[in-house]
Amino acid sequence: MRNHFDMQLEYLNECLVEMGNLCEKAMSMAASALTGNDTAKAEEVITADYRIDQMEKEIEGVCLKLLLQQQPVARDLRQISAALKMITDMERIGDQTADIAEIIKYLGDRNGPEHDAIEAMAKSAAGMVTGSVEAFVNRDTVGAEKVIADDDVVDECFDNIKDSLIRMIAEDPSQGGYALDLLMIAKYIERIGDHAVNIAEWVLFAVTGVHVQAED
């Protein structure tokens, strides 16, 4: 019985890795679509969001089977409950990459240094998402804590981009709409970083039984 349960837990981990990889891929495509003015790639991001939504439902089903058909001990319960929380954050990451893609579709062929800064910010946030899922699968508290610390980098990127866009509007008010679109994209990426932090906090809960935010 326990061997079967362990196999199901392993499948759960595989599904979480796949969902995390989809989130990272969607973010990478969104960043590439922004710097390349690629509306076709933006559409691919929106399609990826559908698959992320499907993965959320699939993982929910796996977790419910583990809870209802098996007799998990406390450690297993933490892992399953953490997985359920994590997929909520990953589903929201998918939604926010799709929101980014929708904005990109209407930017036209405009480009500038701000696009490169946003792409770098997106890569940092994508790394956080990947790191948080890997930390869960490997029960790696050090990796989870690194993800939480890395959020400072994403926040700093957001502040720098925001300041740059404010200067853009001050120098040329006609750029206001374009600057606000870029600011919205940067804000979505900043939120994605926050979701990665949430996932990392649930990793710490799964391993230690203590949820950092709750303790704060």
Side-chain angles (χ1 to χ4, degrees), residues 50-51 82 95 133 139 174 190:
Y50 297 145
R51 178 56 183 153
D95 288 345
V133 176
R139 301 182 66 80
S174 69
E190 190 263 343

Side-chain angles (χ1 to χ4, degrees), residues 121-178:
M121 181 183 177
K123 286 180 179 178
S124 294
M128 290 174 64
V129 174
T130 302
S132 62
V133 176
E134 289 178 350
F136 177 80
V137 172
N138 297 321
R139 301 182 66 80
D140 180 4
T141 58
V142 174
E145 288 167 351
K146 182 180 184 302
V147 170
I148 294 170
D150 286 347
D151 191 43
D152 290 341
V153 175
V154 173
D155 288 344
E156 183 178 358
C157 287
F158 175 73
D159 289 339
N160 291 337
I161 291 167
K162 180 175 66 175
D163 290 343
S164 175
L165 294 172
I166 289 171
R167 288 194 299 270
M168 177 191 293
I169 296 172
E171 292 169 3
D172 185 356
S174 69
Q175 301 281 347
Y178 171 64

Side-chain angles (χ1 to χ4, degrees), residues 99-120:
D99 289 336
I100 291 169
E102 289 288 355
I103 296 173
I104 290 170
K105 286 164 57 178
Y106 296 101
L107 284 178
D109 59 357
R110 305 184 70 167
N111 209 327
E114 296 80 13
H115 289 221
D116 293 334
I118 291 173
E119 182 179 21

Side-chain angles (χ1 to χ4, degrees), residues 7 25 31 52 62 66 80-82 87 94-95 111 115 139 146 167 176 183 196 201 204:
M7 288 175 62
K25 183 179 178 182
I52 290 169
V62 172
L66 285 166
I80 296 166
S81 61
I87 59 174
D95 288 345
N111 209 327
H115 289 221
R139 301 182 66 80
K146 182 180 184 302
R167 288 194 299 270
L183 183 61
E201 289 174 349
L204 294 175

